[in-house]
Structures are given as C-alpha cells and as structure tokens.
C-alpha cells in the first residue's frame, strides 16, 4: 500500500511521504483521512448551498471542524476512529440535502463528492481513500493545485482553532460559512489561479477572525494572561502531565484532582496556560515538564505519572510508557486508552497508582503570560525605549518546533540577537530557546513569551497598536518576523499574515513542499517572503 502526504514541514525528502509518514502515520490512516476530506467536500457543497436558502446546522458546523481537525498532523493515528467520521459526514450531507430541498435550494451537483457513498467496511474505505488522495487531485495545473492544497491545509488550521473556541462556547457563523464554502470550492475545476489565490488569502482573513474568537473564549473563561514565573523542576508527590493545547481539558483535570495530592504539570504548548489567572489559582497546578512535542519519547518515559494528550502533537508511544498515556477529544492512537473529554477518572486513578516524584527536583524557571494586554499595559514604556534608542528592534521568533535538522538556527538566532533588541515568541518553536536568560532592558524582559500558536492574534494586536502609536504601518515598524512552521495551523497563520500584507517574513527551516515554484515567485514578488539562511546573514540583512 502506498500513500502521499506532504502537509507538514518534515515530509520525506521535502517532497512527500509515499510509504509511511515521517510523523508515523500509516498508509491506511492517510487514505482514511483523505477520504474523510473527500466526504467533507460533499457536505460542504450541500451546506454552502443551504446557507443561500437559510438552511444551517450547528451540529454539522461543529462536526466539520472536528473532522478536519482529526486530519491534522499528529492528531489521530487510529484507523478505527475514522470510519464513523466518514459515515457521519455523509449522514449530515443527506440530512441537510433534505432540508435544502424543502427550502427550494439547489441539491444537484456535477461534483462526484456530493453523491459519494462510503464502503461498508474499513478496508473498503481505505481503498476508496487511495482513489481520492492528493496525488489523484483532478486539478492538473501544478500552480492551481499548489494554491488549492494551500487552501485545504489552511482550512484545517482554521478548523482546529474554531473547535477550541466552540468548546468554550464561542462560535461564529461566518467562520463556519467559509469552511463549507471553501470545502465546496475544493471540488471545482473551473477556477483560475487568481481565484485560488483569493481563496487562500480569504482563508487567512477568516483565520484572523477565528483566532480572535479563540482569544475571546480563552480570556473570557480564564482571564487575561499575566506575566508568570513557571518552575521547570518538580515537587515531591503524585503527578499528571498534560500536553496539547486545550485549556478546558486542563481545567477539568485541575477540578477533578483537587485535594487528591496530585500535582499537575504542563508539557509543550500547554506552558502558556500558567499565565491565565483562573487556572493558576489552583494550588496544585505546579510547573512545566519537558520541552517540545518531538522530544516526548525521552521525556514521557521519564515522567513518573500518567500523561494526558489533549490535541496534537502525539507520537507513537514507546512501550515503556504506553500504559501510562491517555488520549482525549480528537486525539487517538491504536492501543492507547481513550477517555472522554472531562471524564478523567482513569487518569486520576493511574496517577494515584504510580510513584510520582519521590523528592523535590530543583530547576530553573521561565516566564510566560506576555499576551497583548500584558505588553500593551507597558506600551508607553516600550514606546519611550524605542524613541530613546534603548530598544533598536523587535524580533518575533515564533512558530512550530520539529525534529528535522536545521531548527538549531532559531536557537542560534536568538542567542545572537543584540542586547538592545527584544525577542517576542509564541508556539512550541520557543522551546529552542525558552529557558535562555536574555536579561532585561530598563526592567523589560528581552524574551517575552506571548503564548500558544493561536496567540499569534496577540502578537498581531501588539504590532497594530505600536504602528498606530508611531504613526506608521506595521511593515515600517522596527519589527521582523522569523518563523518556523510544521503543521497546518502554521499554514493558516502564515496566510493570515499575508492577508494583512505583512512583508519580509523569513520562513524555515524549509519551504512548503506543496508550494510550486511559480506560486513561490508570486509570494516573493508580492510579500518579499524569503527562506531563512544563517543567523549571522539574516541578522546583518535585518539590522544592517
């Protein structure tokens, strides 16, 4: 069985995974994910037409986000979990079709996606998925296909953020409308290059709105993040490690472990959770353990308690800790215990069984919680430091981390940033340098952790506020973006930055395999986007 997947930065040879995913994804799962996307395109056709005649389904909207999120890199590796998703996509399509017919809307389409029927067996679905993978895309023009797949991958990022927001009660019909519209557009063969480019940039526009919604959901539930020191050591006692991004899962676990003598530690992108007032109010929410997702094999094996994976980025668990790891929500891995969101009794029981930390473990601490409100609360000081030339430049060094060679560039870059410059960071890319002591400028830390990947919204709002204060455009600010990417949320954020017209972005460690040479030329000519080179060369080019 063969496959083709090139949606992540680590894809084999920088071209595409054809035998097994570098992430560990098996060919059957790859085929099922492709088939799920195919089924969702049929749902999108009907849902998009339904909106024209006032037919909507909140359940179908939520499902589309969950299903797309399930196809992100390092989320769901369990083939058994995809069969009901594919069947549900078709069931929602037909349910909506009946309602659209009753409302007098269009329900007949030329696209075969609208009439797709899944095979009754999982093996049959795998064979169907092989027929509808990315390599078999009916778009023959390589540049159109490049932008089409860029749209698809950005759409997956939107779906992830929209799902997180919905879990906390924040929904937005305009976001769901675009998701269905874009899914419907993916079935078309009559669109021109400019049409696909326009859809990709609209994807960035909608992602900005989605991140705004998620920001409102997170801050509405847990308060505005505040600068917080987070210990990297450990406290004697029972322990649970929470990885991923979902703050609601973390809150539920904190509630269910109150008074049980269990300390809760974050891992990976959960680190910024320590900055939210309502979460850090729990006295047993102790510290942060480990670094980025790609180091989990070593770090999870050494953790003396259970691990709860709430979203991406799970890797194939090692046998040494496979019995101690749990998945929840959309995360899945064959042979790993899956628990329902908010029902963490098995995780708590496992923590009480396991030894926990037998003694205190000393370690340094790191700061997090520098979201937009925290930064803008000292905006006057920041502006004064810039005007008096005590701050020469800001660097946003952010994005995803990964195992592929070349990412040490970001560590070296931050280490070489001059002492009169400030480094803003967010997402798991920060783990290349998050524990570096860069000192301060007039009391302002030179390294400011702004949060998770979705907190790019905070960074954008800070840039907009500073541009207004200085009376210049964002592109005229003493600000440079040096980004690392890995998966599809990063694609959505990059499209957001392009929608906003941000220029001179440096991107690495490699450029997307799904970007054709001609599309890359458009991005270079229009936005001056460029690949990273070396820290010394890039710093010299930026600072002169």
């Amino acid at each position: 069985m063969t496959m083709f997947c090139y949606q992540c930065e680590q894809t084999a040879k920088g071209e595409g995974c054809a035998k097994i995913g570098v992430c560990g994804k098996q060919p059957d799962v790859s085929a099922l994910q492709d088939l799920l996307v195919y089924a969702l395109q049929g749902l999108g056709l009907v849902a998009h037409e339904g909106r024209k005649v006032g037919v909507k389904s909140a359940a179908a909207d939520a499902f589309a986000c969950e299903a797309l999120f399930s196809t992100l890199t390092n989320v769901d590796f369990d083939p058994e979990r995809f069969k009901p998703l594919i069947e549900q996509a078709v069931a929602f399509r037909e349910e909506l079709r009946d309602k659209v017919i009753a409302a007098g809307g269009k329900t007949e389409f030329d696209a075969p996606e609208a009439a797709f029927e899944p095979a009754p067996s999982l093996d049959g679905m795998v064979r169907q998925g092989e027929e509808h993978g990315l390599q078999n895309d009916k778009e023959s023009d390589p540049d159109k296909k490049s932008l089409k797949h860029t749209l698809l991958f950005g759409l997956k990022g939107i779906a992830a953020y929209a799902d997180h927001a919905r879990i906390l009660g924040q929904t937005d019909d305009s976001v769901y409308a675009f998701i269905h519209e874009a899914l419907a557009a993916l079935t078309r063969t009559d669109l021109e290059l400019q049409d696909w480019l326009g859809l990709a940039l609209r994807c960035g526009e909608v992602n900005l709105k989605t991140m705004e919604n998620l920001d409102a959901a997170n801050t509405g539930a847990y308060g505005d993040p505040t600068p917080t020191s987070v210990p990297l050591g450990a406290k004697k006692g029972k322990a649970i490690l929470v990885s991923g991004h979902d703050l609601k899962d973390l809150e539920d676990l904190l509630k269910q472990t109150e008074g049980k003598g269990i300390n809760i530690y974050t891992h990976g992108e959960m680190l910024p959770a320590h900055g939210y007032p309502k979460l850090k109010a729990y006295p047993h929410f102790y510290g942060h353990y480990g670094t980025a997702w790609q180091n989990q094999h070593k770090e999870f094996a050494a953790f003396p308690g259970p691990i709860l994976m709430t979203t991406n980025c799970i890797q194939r668990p090692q046998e040494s800790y496979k019995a101690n790891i749990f998945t929840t929500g959309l995360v899945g891995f064959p042979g790993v215990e899956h628990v329902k969101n908010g029902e963490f009794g098995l995780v708590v029981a496992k923590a009480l069984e396991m030894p926990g930390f037998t003694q205190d473990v000393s370690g340094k601490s790191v700061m997090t919680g520098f979201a937009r409100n925290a930064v803008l609360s000292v905006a006057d000081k920041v502006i004064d430091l810039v005007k008096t030339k005590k701050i020469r430049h800001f660097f946003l060094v952010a994005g995803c981390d990964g195992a592929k060679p070349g990412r040490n560039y970001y560590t070296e870059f931050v280490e070489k940033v001059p002492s009169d410059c400030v480094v803003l960071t967010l997402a798991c890319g920060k783990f290349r340098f998050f524990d570096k002591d860069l000192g301060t400028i007039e009391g302002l830390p030179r390294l400011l952790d702004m949060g998770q990947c979705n907190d790019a919204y905070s960074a954008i709002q800070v840039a907009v506020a500073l541009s207004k204060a200085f009376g210049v455009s964002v592109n005229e600010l003493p600000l440079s973006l040096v980004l690392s990417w890995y998966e599809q949320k990063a694609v959505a954020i990059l499209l957001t930055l392009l929608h906003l017209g941000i220029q001179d972005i440096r991107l690495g460690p490699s450029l997307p395999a799904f970007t054709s040479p001609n599309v890359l030329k458009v991005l270079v000519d229009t936005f001056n986007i460029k690949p990273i080179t070396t820290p010394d060369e890039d710093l010299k080019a930026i600072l002169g």
Side-chain angles (χ1 to χ4, degrees), residues 310-484:
T310 67
T311 58
N312 52 326
C313 307
I314 191 173
Q315 291 182 295
R316 177 184 293 276
Q318 301 291 306
E319 288 301 320
S320 59
Y321 64 84
K322 192 172 183 180
N324 306 331
I325 190 168
F326 297 82
T327 60
T328 192
L330 302 177
V331 189
F333 204 98
V336 170
E337 186 84 41
H338 187 82
V339 295
K340 289 184 178 180
N341 289 110
E343 298 181 12
F344 300 136
L346 290 176
V347 184
V348 175
K350 177 64 75 171
L352 294 173
E353 289 175 17
M354 294 183 69
F357 290 97
T358 56
Q359 61 184 17
D360 291 346
V361 179
S362 61
K364 62 173 66 174
S365 61
V366 296
M367 293 293 293
T368 190
F370 292 98
R372 70 181 190 285
N373 280 4
V375 175
L376 294 179
S377 69
V378 293
D380 290 345
K381 181 175 184 178
V382 170
I383 292 166
D384 182 64
L385 290 172
V386 173
K387 288 181 175 178
T388 57
K389 301 188 183 305
K390 292 178 180 177
I391 292 180
R392 180 173 25 154
H393 206 83
F394 294 90
F395 292 93
L396 178 63
V397 186
C400 313
D401 204 357
K404 192 174 180 180
R407 291 180 180 269
N408 58 319
Y409 163 95
Y410 297 93
T411 310
E412 187 180 345
F413 186 95
V414 168
E415 289 175 339
K416 291 184 173 180
V417 166
S419 59
D420 58 353
C421 300
V422 172
V423 176
L424 309 172
T425 190
L426 48 84
C428 65
K430 66 171 153 274
F431 290 111
R432 291 282 164 172
F433 49 80
F434 80 124
D435 56 352
K436 303 289 182 186
D437 184 3
L438 300 188
T440 64
I441 298 176
E442 300 281 317
L444 180 74
R446 287 188 56 233
L447 179 61
L448 301 175
D449 178 8
M450 303 190 78
Q452 295 183 343
C453 55
N454 57 279
D455 290 311
Y457 177 75
S458 264
I460 291 168
Q461 294 309 305
V462 167
V464 169
L466 290 177
S467 72
K468 290 179 179 178
F470 285 109
V472 299
S473 71
V474 170
N475 288 318
E476 294 173 293
L477 286 172
L479 169 68
S480 297
L481 277 62
V482 184
L483 306 180
S484 55

Side-chain angles (χ1 to χ4, degrees), residues 157-327:
I158 289 176
Y161 292 142
D163 186 61
H164 285 308
R166 180 192 59 80
I167 287 170
L168 290 174
Q170 191 82 18
T171 60
D172 190 318
D173 188 65
S174 67
V175 173
Y176 300 135
F178 176 77
I179 288 173
H180 292 303
E181 179 188 352
L183 285 168
L186 292 171
T187 70
R188 296 177 63 175
T189 57
D190 61 330
L191 296 181
E192 299 299 327
L193 199 64
Q194 285 300 317
D195 297 323
W196 288 116
L197 179 60
L199 279 166
L201 292 177
R202 275 190 61 205
C203 184
E205 179 182 14
V206 174
N207 184 59
L208 178 62
K209 180 63 177 176
T210 310
M211 290 193 297
E212 180 184 5
N213 293 337
L214 180 52
D215 178 85
N218 286 339
T219 57
Y222 307 116
D224 288 307
T226 58
T228 303
S229 178
V230 184
L232 299 181
K235 184 187 291 188
K236 181 180 178 180
K238 305 292 185 179
I240 297 175
L241 185 63
V242 186
S243 189
H245 304 74
D246 200 281
L247 301 184
K248 181 65 165 59
D249 286 331
L250 174 60
E251 179 192 30
D252 289 340
L253 186 64
L254 287 167
K255 288 179 178 178
Q256 292 171 35
T257 49
E258 280 188 293
K260 290 184 168 61
I262 301 172
N263 294 315
I264 305 300
Y265 296 79
T266 55
H267 173 266
E269 286 249 55
M270 276 294 192
L271 169 61
H274 290 275
Y276 288 93
K278 290 186 180 179
L279 295 177
K280 67 181 181 179
Y282 289 90
H284 60 301
F285 187 28
Y286 178 67
H288 187 79
Y289 176 90
T291 52
W293 65 271
Q294 76 275 4
N295 301 320
Q296 65 190 253
H297 284 162
K298 179 180 178 181
E299 294 170 353
F300 287 3
F303 190 76
I307 302 112
L308 179 65
M309 301 297 298
T310 67
T311 58
N312 52 326
C313 307
I314 191 173
Q315 291 182 295
R316 177 184 293 276
Q318 301 291 306
E319 288 301 320
S320 59
Y321 64 84
K322 192 172 183 180
N324 306 331
I325 190 168
F326 297 82
T327 60

Side-chain angles (χ1 to χ4, degrees), residues 476-515:
E476 294 173 293
L477 286 172
L479 169 68
S480 297
L481 277 62
V482 184
L483 306 180
S484 55
W485 79 282
Y486 175 67
E487 44 85 8
Q488 297 76 62
K489 287 181 285 184
V491 176
I493 291 172
L494 180 60
L495 291 176
T496 294
L497 296 174
L498 299 183
H499 154 71
L500 292 170
I502 304 299
Q503 301 275 330
D504 301 319
I505 298 170
R506 282 171 166 78
L507 184 66
S510 64
L511 296 177
F514 51 84
T515 302

